[in-house]
């Protein structure tokens, strides 16, 4: 399909006439209906293409890619083969295979239900497009579906409209567009159609363009469509989302590596045992001997692979997500829980994430006095202070005049919204900058309805980008309290003007001083200019406010009203940081996590907010998107390590930032709420979207959604993520020590000619691995946090789940478990004169109880059982009790005896087995005593780490 000219990247560098010429359109008449239909057939509809969602069957099959799952399925298939073709099969193999298939199926279903639905991000992007658009075709205004827009269409924009495509403006009247979701700009952007720029202007500075998916907040305008559908800036983001494949999380990688290691090791051991078994002399025919060794190999494979591990990991993560939801963090992708716990960098959008996204006046200058203003956001709570004392407006007429000017020369409204706990909450409607002035007046008990009743608006000169000011005219009788202002006594009318401070100051020739109007001196101008520079240096958005007393109402409210003005003062406002963000950033830093601000706002503003939040550390700096654009990736990779703030950046820049940090070995969490954040959210190791202010696009691209938009919730989620990973390590450690012990039991029993049979049957091993091991492993996943979890640096991404200390502990426990079980089996053979079923029951009971006691010793690598307390994890008591009941049912319930080939045990026999079951637990506790002694000795010698042991990693 032939495509229309795509001027998306250079329309801002062309005049409106040049754009119209290139697109063969008319700036007055627009396209003809025939032209529009022909172009629509040529370029396609103005909508974002949607990829087909991943079919359910494919997502289900993807769950079977794990190496552990493959090993289990192979073992199950071998069991089925033996059951079918074995000459003396009793059906036990079918039970083994059925149990394996059941646990694999359960794990797959849970995975499908819980996995991320990332393809919905494109659907959310698709739904953001405006459903209808007002265009001029054949010289007539008409409403058409937005999907039918084509390059060259002349579109009319009004307040409240979604921008339906990327547009080069040709006319703008007080036009302001809310672009925070696309560029991160915290306030609506004033558009100026007459501007023409050079190349390489950042997206947020293209004030002669409007972009698809943004919202007109004020004014009106017209423009020529230059890009539609996937060729728009929004479409570019959609294309970026499609181009990034979801990467496996560190936990997924480590579990897969562990599964491969276990699988390869078990296959190797199976091969050795199979070969040794065939070489041993036997009275059985070769085919029966071959079948027997197959059964032994299957038993060994079942013993080697922790069948419950995939399901236990999934359940543990799912339970962790429930706890995180109570901390206002909604997890959409289960393995992301662990990834968040290992995050080393949090890249955060400024607007609405670190800040409140509510412009607030914080400083005033009037009558040569500087005032501070309490409160944040759009709630009219707080006082106006001078020198830390509450201000009396009766003694400050200049301040009173400034507040009235800000309130009346204004189109924003403050309306009651709701009441909570006998406190009234308000909602601001209108432009954020004007809303800040309305809230400021309300803090001084000046409310628009009462004030406008006494000072009604008679006329106005609207704001425009050339004059950069707005003026309203009022009948001046008295102020809101009924008392005339000292400098306005006897004046019937008053014009109020607000605007850019430098331009407005040029039009002032008088000033209110000590309650009276006098001539504005050069010294006054220097003082005011210095105050303006000081406010701008604090990254405040500065507005000047002035008035003009009028003896009579002018015939026309024109430019003449804005001469000979009386200077009232300055207001400095800012989008304030969230109150809870600063301590959250400090807590993250204490935990070794660096916070980086990434915003589309100006560098000066971003740096001031970052400084207020104490984000900086010595030697760090800020970087703009333009500066980043000049660097190649190698150069930027070196700089990325030392940058705290990125300002005026585009979506492509955000992805480059994430990539550079990941290349430096960081685990990157990216927070954001806008459309512009979506590609980086998906590219990061974990994307964190805002639930209240976040767009659907950001939420669907993210791994985690904050339901309260609170940065502090991220830190809570990081802490929970660390706890979850620590618990995963504990139950993996537990399962490995048990399974390696089972391997040793089967392997050594195969080599011992004095044993007439194996101590355990395949169904015994399966029951142990799935039930009696599975319940305690799940309880370990519910273990509460150990003290100091946020006092340690982030875990290295390269650190394995089981470190060297744990491998030594695994070896010790495996040997002790093997000794206990083989001794029990040997005693059983001796007591019952070769009765195999009774001896196997001895071995089975000993192994189960041994591993249940092992679960208690695994709760901590250092702390002894009695220090932890049995009641601190009640789930463990329930799990061990349930597993014991299962064991007793297998031994004592008559109809289960034929299935498991067990016999009831007497009290005397239990008295013999109990000392054997305590051996591994005693060994584990003695090892803890040795490790604590060694740690103290190492610390006292000031040689932590000389033994090659990372104590912090061990404690995580």
């Amino acid at each position: 399909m032939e495509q229309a000219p795509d001027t998306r990247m250079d329309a801002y560098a062309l005049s409106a006439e040049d754009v119209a010429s290139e697109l063969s359109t008319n700036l007055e008449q627009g396209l003809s209906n025939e032209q529009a239909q022909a172009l629509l057939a040529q370029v396609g509809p103005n909508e974002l293409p949607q990829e087909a969602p991943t079919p359910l069957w494919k997502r289900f099959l993807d769950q079977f890619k794990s190496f552990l799952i493959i090993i289990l399925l192979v073992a199950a298939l071998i069991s089925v083969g033996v059951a079918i073709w074995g000459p003396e099969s009793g059906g036990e193999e079918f039970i083994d295979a059925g149990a394996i298939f059941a646990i694999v199926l359960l794990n797959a279903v849970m995975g499908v239900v819980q996995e991320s639905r990332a393809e919905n991000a494109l659907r959310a992007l698709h739904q953001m497009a405006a459903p209808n658009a007002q265009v001029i075709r054949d010289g007539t205004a008409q409403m058409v579906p937005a999907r039918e827009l084509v390059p060259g269409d002349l579109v009319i924009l009004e307040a409240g409209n979604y921008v339906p495509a990327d547009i080069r403006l040709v006319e703008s009247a007080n036009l302001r567009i809310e672009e925070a979701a696309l560029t991160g700009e915290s306030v609506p952007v004033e558009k100026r159609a007459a501007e023409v720029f050079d190349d390489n202007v950042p997206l947020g500075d293209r004030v002669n363009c409007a972009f698809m998916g943004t919202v007109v907040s004020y004014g009106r305008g017209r423009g020529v469509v230059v890009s539609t559908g996937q060729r728009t800036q929004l479409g570019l983001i959609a294309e970026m989302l499609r181009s990034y494949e979801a990467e496996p999380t560190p936990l997924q990688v480590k579990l897969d590596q562990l599964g491969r290691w276990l699988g390869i090791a078990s296959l190797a051991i199976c091969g050795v045992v199979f070969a040794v078994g065939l070489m041993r002399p036997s009275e059985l025919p070769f085919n029966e001997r071959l079948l027997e060794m197959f059964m032994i190999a299957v038993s060994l494979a079942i013993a080697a692979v922790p069948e419950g591990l995939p399901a236990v990991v999934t359940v543990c993560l799912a339970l962790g997500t429930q706890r995180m939801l109570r901390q206002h963090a909604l997890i959409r992708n289960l393995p992301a829980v662990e990834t968040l716990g290992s995050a080393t960098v949090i890249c955060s959008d400024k607007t609405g994430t670190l800040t409140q996204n509510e412009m607030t006046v914080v400083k005033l200058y009037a009558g040569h006095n500087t005032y501070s203003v309490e409160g944040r956001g759009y709630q009219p709570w707080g006082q106006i202070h001078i020198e830390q004392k509450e201000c009396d407006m009766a003694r400050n007429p200049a301040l009173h005049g400034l507040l009235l000017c800000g309130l009346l020369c204004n189109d924003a409204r403050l309306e009651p919204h709701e009441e909570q706990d006998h406190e009234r909450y308000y909602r601001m409607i209108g432009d954020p900058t004007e809303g800040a002035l309305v809230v400021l007046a309300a803090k001084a008990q000046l409310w628009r309805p009462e004030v406008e009743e006494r000072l009604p608006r008679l006329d106005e000169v609207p704001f425009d980008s050339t004059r950069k000011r707005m003026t309203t005219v009022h009948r001046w009788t008295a102020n809101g309290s009924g008392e005339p202002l000292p400098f306005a006594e006897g004046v019937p009318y008053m014009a109020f003007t607000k605007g850019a401070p430098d331009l407005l100051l040029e039009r002032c020739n008088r000033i209110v001083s000590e309650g009276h109007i006098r001539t504005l001196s050069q010294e006054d101008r220097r003082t005011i200019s210095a105050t303006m520079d000081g406010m701008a240096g604090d990254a405040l958005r500065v507005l000047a406010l002035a008035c003009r007393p009028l003896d009579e109402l002018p015939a026309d409210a024109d430019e003449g009203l804005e001469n000979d003005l009386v200077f009232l003062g300055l207001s400095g406002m800012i989008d304030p940081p969230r109150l809870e963000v600063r301590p959250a950033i400090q807590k993250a830093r204490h935990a070794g996590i660096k916070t980086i601000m990434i915003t589309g706002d100006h560098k000066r503003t971003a740096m001031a907010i970052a400084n207020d939040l104490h984000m900086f550390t010595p030697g760090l700096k800020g970087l703009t998107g333009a500066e980043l654009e000049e660097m190649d990736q190698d150069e930027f990779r070196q700089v990325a390590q030392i940058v705290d703030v990125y300002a005026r950046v585009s979506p492509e820049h955000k992805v480059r930032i994430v990539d550079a940090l990941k290349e430096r070995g960081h685990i990157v969490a990216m927070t954001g709420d806008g459309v512009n954040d979506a590609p980086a959210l998906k590219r990061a190791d974990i994307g964190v979207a805002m639930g209240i202010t976040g767009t659907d696009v950001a939420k669907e691209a993210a791994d985690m959604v904050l339901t309260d938009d609170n940065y502090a919730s991220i830190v809570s989620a990081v802490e929970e993520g660390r706890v979850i990973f620590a618990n995963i390590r504990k139950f993996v450690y537990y399962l490995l020590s048990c399974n390696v012990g089972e391997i040793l039991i089967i392997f050594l029993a195969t080599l011992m000619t004095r044993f007439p049979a194996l101590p355990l049957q395949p169904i015994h091993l399966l029951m142990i691995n799935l039930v009696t091991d599975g319940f305690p492993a799940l309880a370990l996943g519910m273990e509460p946090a150990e003290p100091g979890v946020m006092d340690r640096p982030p875990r290295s991404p390269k650190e394995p789940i089981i470190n060297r200390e744990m491998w030594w502990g695994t070896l010790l426990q495996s040997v002790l478990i093997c000794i206990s079980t083989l001794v029990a089996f040997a005693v059983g053979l001796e007591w019952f004169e070769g009765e195999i079923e009774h001896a196997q029951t001895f071995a089975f009971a000993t192994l189960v109880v041994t591993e249940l006691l092992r679960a208690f010793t695994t709760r901590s690598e250092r702390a002894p059982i009695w220090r932890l307390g049995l009641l601190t994890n009640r789930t463990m008591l329930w799990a061990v009790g349930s597993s014991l009941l299962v064991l007793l049912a297998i031994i004592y319930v008559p109809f289960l005896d034929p299935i498991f080939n067990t016999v009831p045990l007497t009290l005397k026999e239990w008295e013999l087995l109990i000392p054997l079951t305590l051996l591994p637990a005693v060994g584990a506790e003695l090892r803890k005593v040795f490790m604590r002694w060694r740690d103290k000795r190492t610390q006292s010698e000031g040689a932590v780490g000389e033994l090659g042991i990372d104590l912090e990693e061990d404690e995580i």
Side-chain angles (χ1 to χ4, degrees):
M1 179 184 296
E2 184 181 356
Q3 294 190 359
D6 181 9
T7 56
R8 177 186 60 209
M9 298 305 293
D10 59 3
Y12 60 87
L14 301 174
S15 68
E17 291 75 16
D18 290 340
V19 171
S21 175
E22 185 170 338
L23 295 175
S24 302
T25 190
N26 186 289
L27 295 182
E28 298 297 330
Q29 301 292 316
L31 297 172
S32 67
N33 284 310
E34 291 76 14
Q35 282 180 296
Q37 293 301 319
L39 281 170
L40 183 62
Q42 179 183 354
V43 303
N46 175 37
E47 57 187 8
L48 301 178
Q50 289 185 281
E51 293 182 350
T54 305
L56 182 63
W57 63 267
K58 188 175 186 301
R59 279 191 284 161
F60 181 75
L61 291 180
D62 286 343
Q63 307 301 315
F64 297 92
K65 292 181 178 180
S66 167
F67 199 76
L68 270 178
I69 299 297
I70 293 173
I71 292 294
L72 288 176
L73 291 176
V74 170
L77 291 175
I78 291 176
S79 294
V80 171
V82 171
I84 295 174
W85 293 291
E88 298 180 0
S89 174
E92 297 172 3
E93 295 80 4
F94 279 120
I95 297 176
D96 298 343
I100 294 175
F101 282 132
I103 196 66
V104 169
L105 183 64
L106 175 63
N107 182 71
V109 170
M110 292 177 65
V112 170
V113 171
Q114 296 288 350
E115 273 193 350
S116 173
R117 300 159 300 200
E119 63 271 10
N120 289 341
L122 294 178
R123 258 196 301 278
L125 274 170
H126 178 74
Q127 293 169 357
M128 282 192 63
N132 292 295
Q134 189 175 4
V135 301
I136 297 176
R137 289 181 180 171
D138 289 323
T140 304
Q142 50 188 287
M143 193 71 68
V144 301
R147 69 185 305 275
E148 296 180 6
L149 288 181
V150 294
D153 259 326
L154 189 61
V155 175
I156 299 173
L157 298 175
E158 297 176 343
N161 291 160
Y162 267 100
V163 178
D166 281 4
I167 293 172
R168 172 58 166 92
L169 296 170
V170 300
E171 177 185 309
S172 59
N174 302 323
L175 182 63
R176 297 178 218 173
I177 297 180
E178 177 63 61
E179 295 182 345
L182 185 66
T183 67
E185 186 71 47
S186 59
V187 297
V189 178
E190 177 193 340
K191 295 297 182 178
R192 301 189 296 274
E195 296 278 359
V196 178
F197 298 99
D198 297 328
D199 291 338
N200 300 322
V201 175
L203 192 67
D205 292 335
R206 298 176 193 174
V207 295
N208 58 5
C209 295
F211 303 103
M212 184 179 187
T214 58
V215 183
V216 179
S217 63
Y218 193 82
R220 56 185 175 80
R222 289 197 302 171
V224 177
V225 173
V226 294
S227 300
T228 60
Q230 64 184 2
R231 293 175 292 277
T232 63
Q233 292 293 329
L234 199 62
L236 177 62
I237 293 174
E239 185 63 33
M240 293 170 66
L241 284 175
R242 280 195 297 272
S243 65
Y244 297 132
E245 296 294 332
E247 297 182 357
T249 66
L251 178 62
Q252 290 172 316
V253 172
K254 291 168 186 173
L255 285 176
D256 192 58
Q257 290 174 346
L258 180 63
R260 289 179 181 276
W261 184 91
L262 288 174
I264 292 171
S266 64
L267 290 176
I269 295 173
C270 286
V272 171
V273 171
F274 183 75
V276 171
L278 288 180
M279 290 186 293
R280 286 177 57 185
S282 175
E283 299 179 357
L284 294 175
F286 180 77
N287 61 336
E288 294 185 17
R289 183 61 174 164
L290 186 65
L291 182 59
E292 181 186 28
M293 293 312 302
F294 257 122
M295 287 303 303
I296 293 175
V298 170
S299 301
L300 197 58
I302 294 173
V305 179
E307 290 87 346
L309 180 59
V312 170
V313 170
T314 304
V315 172
C316 180
L317 291 175
L319 293 174
T321 62
Q322 294 177 13
R323 295 197 300 272
M324 295 179 83
L325 184 57
R326 291 194 288 270
Q327 299 289 335
H328 306 289
L330 173 64
I331 299 298
R332 301 183 65 253
N333 185 15
L334 283 184
V337 176
E338 177 271 335
T339 312
L340 186 65
S342 62
T344 59
V345 173
I346 298 176
C347 296
S348 175
D349 183 44
K350 176 182 75 69
T351 305
T353 306
L354 297 174
T355 65
Q356 298 178 24
N357 199 20
E358 295 181 347
M359 294 299 293
T360 305
V361 176
V362 295
K363 186 177 290 188
L364 297 172
Y365 175 80
H368 293 301
N369 291 318
T370 299
Y371 303 85
S372 61
V373 184
E374 292 179 339
R376 292 293 185 268
Y378 293 141
Q379 302 309 315
W381 305 328
Q383 303 292 333
I384 301 174
H385 291 275
I386 179 171
E387 297 179 353
Q388 299 181 348
K389 297 180 181 179
E390 187 175 344
C391 178
D392 181 4
M393 283 198 302
R395 300 179 182 179
N396 296 273
L399 174 63
H400 197 170
L402 181 149
L403 296 176
L404 285 175
C405 178
L407 176 64
L408 296 172
C409 187
N410 197 316
D411 292 321
R413 305 192 309 275
L414 196 64
E415 297 183 348
H417 180 51
E418 61 182 359
E419 287 194 11
Q420 295 181 7
D421 300 326
H422 306 291
E423 190 78 59
R424 175 171 290 182
Y425 287 80
Y426 293 83
R427 174 177 56 192
M428 194 283 294
I429 300 175
D431 180 81
T433 299
E434 291 193 332
L437 294 173
V438 173
V439 173
L440 172 68
K443 291 177 180 178
Q445 301 306 308
L446 295 175
W447 298 89
R448 177 182 289 278
E450 291 84 355
V451 174
E452 284 189 334
E453 185 177 345
R454 297 177 174 88
L455 301 168
R457 183 185 298 188
L458 303 179
D459 209 341
E460 68 176 290
V461 182
F463 178 92
D464 68 53
S465 58
T466 303
R467 295 167 34 255
K468 294 188 176 180
R469 56 186 174 272
M470 171 184 179
T471 298
T472 59
V473 180
H474 301 261
R475 180 182 294 111
W476 183 256
T477 56
N479 68 4
S481 63
E483 299 287 340
L485 290 173
F487 62 85
E489 291 187 32
V491 177
Y493 303 102
M494 182 70 77
F496 288 114
T497 303
K498 74 174 190 295
D502 49 346
L503 298 179
L504 196 63
L505 184 60
E506 293 175 359
R507 295 183 169 269
C508 295
N509 57 14
R510 292 170 291 173
I511 187 173
V512 176
S513 177
E514 297 180 356
H516 302 282
I517 296 175
R518 64 169 175 80
T519 301
L520 184 68
S521 67
Q522 290 301 317
E523 180 64 26
D524 291 331
R525 293 183 184 276
R526 284 192 291 270
T527 301
I528 293 170
S529 296
T531 303
M532 287 163 39
D533 292 341
M535 287 185 175
D538 293 334
L540 301 182
R541 186 181 298 271
V542 185
L543 280 181
L545 300 103
C547 67
R548 181 181 175 183
L550 300 170
D551 292 325
E552 59 182 17
L553 197 65
D556 293 312
D558 56 11
E559 185 76 13
L561 271 178
E562 298 173 344
N563 293 322
D564 301 326
L565 298 176
V566 178
F567 183 81
L568 292 173
L570 303 169
S571 72
M573 60 187 70
I574 196 169
D575 182 10
R578 291 176 178 269
L579 298 178
E580 63 275 3
V581 166
R582 184 186 294 174
I585 288 177
Q586 297 304 313
K587 187 175 182 180
R589 178 180 296 166
H590 188 63
I593 302 169
K594 176 182 174 67
T595 302
I596 295 176
M597 179 190 296
I598 303 180
T599 179
D601 216 336
H602 293 279
K603 181 178 180 180
R604 194 172 189 177
T605 302
M607 296 284 277
I609 293 291
N611 189 58
D612 188 25
L613 293 173
H614 299 169
M615 289 177 58
F616 288 103
T617 51
L620 302 185
K621 64 176 185 177
L623 198 67
T624 66
E627 294 167 337
L628 173 57
E629 195 70 37
E630 296 174 356
M631 300 181 181
D632 59 32
Q633 192 63 14
D634 290 337
E635 182 181 2
F636 175 53
R637 190 183 304 114
Q638 303 303 318
V639 175
Q641 190 79 1
I642 61 171
V643 176
D644 275 305
V645 174
Y646 294 91
R648 308 303 283 173
V649 295
S650 68
E652 296 91 337
H653 294 149
K654 293 187 177 187
V655 174
R656 281 191 65 189
I657 293 166
V658 172
D659 285 341
L661 291 169
K662 291 175 69 173
E663 289 169 5
R664 293 299 299 261
H666 287 288
I667 297 295
V668 182
M670 168 70 186
T671 71
D673 56 3
V675 176
N676 63 323
D677 297 320
L681 287 175
K682 192 170 183 181
R683 189 76 180 101
D685 294 290
I686 178 165
V688 184
M690 302 297 114
I692 299 174
T693 60
T695 61
D696 287 342
V697 183
K699 294 174 187 175
E700 296 298 335
D703 301 291
M704 183 176 84
V705 178
L706 299 181
T707 59
D708 62 350
D709 285 15
N710 192 333
Y711 182 89
S713 298
I714 301 174
V715 180
S716 298
V718 168
E719 182 173 2
E720 187 64 42
R722 290 188 175 190
V723 172
I724 289 173
F725 183 78
N727 290 345
I728 289 175
R729 291 185 70 171
K730 290 174 184 176
F731 68 65
V732 171
Y733 182 27
Y734 166 70
L735 291 176
L736 272 183
S737 60
C738 295
N739 282 65
V740 173
E742 294 163 14
I743 291 174
L744 290 177
I745 292 168
I746 299 297
F747 180 70
L748 294 179
T750 304
L751 300 180
M752 292 180 180
T753 56
R754 69 180 298 274
F755 286 167
L758 294 178
L760 300 165
Q761 297 182 13
I763 195 171
H764 295 159
L765 294 168
L766 196 62
M767 179 56 62
I768 291 171
N769 286 1
L770 295 184
V771 180
T772 55
D773 283 356
F775 289 164
L778 186 58
L780 286 171
M782 303 293 291
E783 191 71 23
E786 294 188 41
V789 69
M790 290 296 284
D791 294 334
R792 305 168 184 135
R795 187 182 63 259
S796 169
K798 298 180 181 179
E799 181 189 351
I801 294 179
I802 302 298
N803 57 20
R804 185 168 59 180
E805 282 290 313
M806 287 184 167
W807 279 120
W808 281 112
T810 298
L811 179 61
L812 173 64
Q813 284 299 297
S814 299
V815 169
L816 294 178
I817 289 172
C818 176
I819 292 173
S820 298
T821 305
L822 290 181
V823 169
F825 184 63
V827 171
L829 289 174
E830 185 70 25
W831 271 31
F832 302 105
E833 299 179 353
E835 188 179 329
I836 294 176
E837 286 188 359
H838 219 131
Q840 287 179 333
T841 304
F842 262 39
F844 177 58
T846 301
L847 181 59
V848 169
V849 177
T850 295
E851 294 185 356
L852 293 179
L853 293 176
R854 166 67 181 148
F856 286 103
T857 64
T858 314
R859 291 181 57 196
S860 174
E861 292 182 60
R862 297 293 197 276
I865 295 177
W866 53 87
R867 185 177 301 171
L868 292 174
L870 292 177
L871 299 181
T872 54
N873 186 351
R874 296 177 183 271
T875 308
M876 178 64 75
L877 297 177
W878 176 89
V880 171
S882 299
S883 297
L884 280 174
L885 289 177
V886 171
L887 171 64
L888 295 176
I890 290 173
I891 294 176
Y892 293 106
V893 175
F895 73 86
L896 293 177
D897 290 345
I899 298 176
F900 292 93
N901 296 316
T902 56
V903 295
L905 299 179
T906 65
L907 181 61
K908 183 178 181 181
E909 291 166 352
W910 277 110
E911 291 174 353
L912 173 66
L913 297 180
I914 287 176
L916 293 175
T917 63
L918 293 173
L919 178 62
V922 172
E925 291 302 308
L926 290 176
R927 180 173 180 271
K928 290 180 184 180
V929 172
F930 167 75
M931 292 174 68
R932 291 197 301 273
W933 171 81
R934 187 195 58 188
D935 292 346
K936 291 180 180 179
R937 180 181 177 185
T938 303
Q939 292 170 3
S940 65
E941 293 175 355
V944 175
E946 289 185 358
L947 298 178
I949 300 167
D950 189 340
L951 298 179
E952 288 181 333
E953 290 179 357
D954 286 346
E955 294 285 357
I956 293 178

